[in-house]
Amino acid sequence: MGQAKARGTREERIKKLHEEFGVRPMSRERFNAFVSWTRSPIATGVSKELEWFADEKEQVLGLAALDRTDRDFAYVVLGRDEKGRFRCIDVNVSYQSLNEARRHLFNSMKQQAQAGSAVFPQGDVDKAGVDLFTPIVSENKLNDIFKLVATGDHWYSARSMLSEMMRHFVDIDGNFVEQFQTSGFDARLGSFTFMHSCWKRVYSLKARACT
């Protein structure tokens, strides 16, 4: 009993680990805001995400997961690539307990964060990625609602979500940003809803096929 009290409660032990390794827990919703566009649709079929973490600057993210087949544990560490997209920079599997996976996850995140880099090159730069909110036309041509979304404090969360999403977007026609900022704002805003619905449907179907 005395040794158990000395170690503290589970929550206290996890808090000490957070302080030791310089990471903190994230909600699944916030984690998804960064990585939903990166996560493979088959991921939920092969593993169940259990916990989510970030370093203090949110430049390095991590998760601990349960392997649905082997029933052991794994971790994944993510950092931003050359286009600012969160992608895998370290992964390991086959841990016998969640505690073991969590400790190795924290150690990896600490090492990546201490390296001091905000970019983790993947060596496969593609054409994806557009900047929605830096004006590319004159002030008098900007859509009034676009200006509100682009600069208003109340729209910060929406800007952040759209910016994360658009790091993965390929502008085939080359006019998406111009239209979003000007006369095509409503139509392009509708495109986001359509793209998100398609993404969720594909994600759901592929995940179901893997279970």
Side-chain angles (χ1 to χ4, degrees):
M1 178 67 72
Q3 290 180 343
K5 286 185 177 180
R7 290 197 303 269
T9 65
R10 177 180 179 275
E11 290 74 18
E12 289 171 340
R13 294 196 300 273
I14 293 176
K15 182 179 180 180
K16 289 180 180 178
L17 285 175
H18 293 163
E19 294 172 349
E20 177 184 352
F21 290 100
V23 302
R24 55 183 175 81
M26 297 181 80
S27 67
R28 180 167 67 174
E29 291 75 17
R30 183 158 183 78
F31 187 87
N32 282 340
F34 289 116
V35 307
S36 285
W37 326 107
T38 299
R39 186 189 285 109
S40 170
I42 69 172
T44 56
V46 299
S47 64
K48 178 182 180 181
E49 296 178 9
L50 301 175
E51 298 176 343
W52 306 266
F53 303 95
D55 72 333
E56 292 301 325
K57 296 181 180 179
E58 291 191 338
Q59 293 179 342
V60 177
L61 307 183
L63 67 88
L66 171 69
D67 186 308
R68 294 184 184 274
T69 301
D70 297 334
R71 309 306 294 177
D72 53 17
F73 298 88
Y75 75 76
V76 179
V77 179
L78 304 98
R80 291 193 184 275
D81 68 4
E82 299 93 325
K83 292 294 186 72
R85 301 168 294 193
F86 274 104
R87 297 172 64 184
C88 177
I89 57 176
D90 188 27
V91 59
N92 218 327
V93 299
S94 301
Y95 296 106
Q96 296 307 303
S97 71
L98 177 58
N99 284 340
E100 184 183 11
R102 186 191 296 122
R103 177 169 284 277
H104 282 84
L105 167 64
F106 287 1
N107 187 59
S108 177
M109 291 181 65
K110 181 178 180 179
Q111 291 178 356
Q112 300 293 347
Q114 287 182 339
S117 177
V119 177
F120 300 86
Q122 298 276 342
D124 60 350
V125 177
D126 53 31
K127 295 181 180 180
V130 299
D131 180 354
L132 277 180
F133 295 106
T134 299
I136 62 172
V137 299
S138 59
E139 173 74 18
N140 65 311
K141 292 183 178 180
L142 292 175
N143 180 282
D144 289 338
I145 301 179
F146 165 79
K147 288 190 287 186
L148 180 65
V149 174
T151 60
D153 292 340
H154 292 298
W155 294 95
Y156 175 79
S157 296
R159 285 198 304 275
S160 298
M161 287 288 292
L162 287 174
S163 295
E164 290 293 337
M165 178 181 178
M166 297 308 285
R167 297 179 195 275
H168 301 261
F169 179 76
V170 178
D171 187 2
I172 297 176
D173 298 323
N175 59 13
F176 191 98
V177 175
E178 179 185 2
Q179 292 181 3
F180 179 74
Q181 296 183 0
T182 58
S183 59
F185 177 85
D186 290 342
R188 289 310 191 186
L189 192 62
S191 298
F192 292 132
T193 303
F194 177 74
M195 285 189 291
H196 187 257
S197 297
C198 289
W199 171 82
K200 288 183 65 177
R201 180 60 175 166
V202 170
Y203 187 95
S204 175
L205 289 173
K206 288 189 176 181
R208 195 179 307 160
C210 295
T211 58

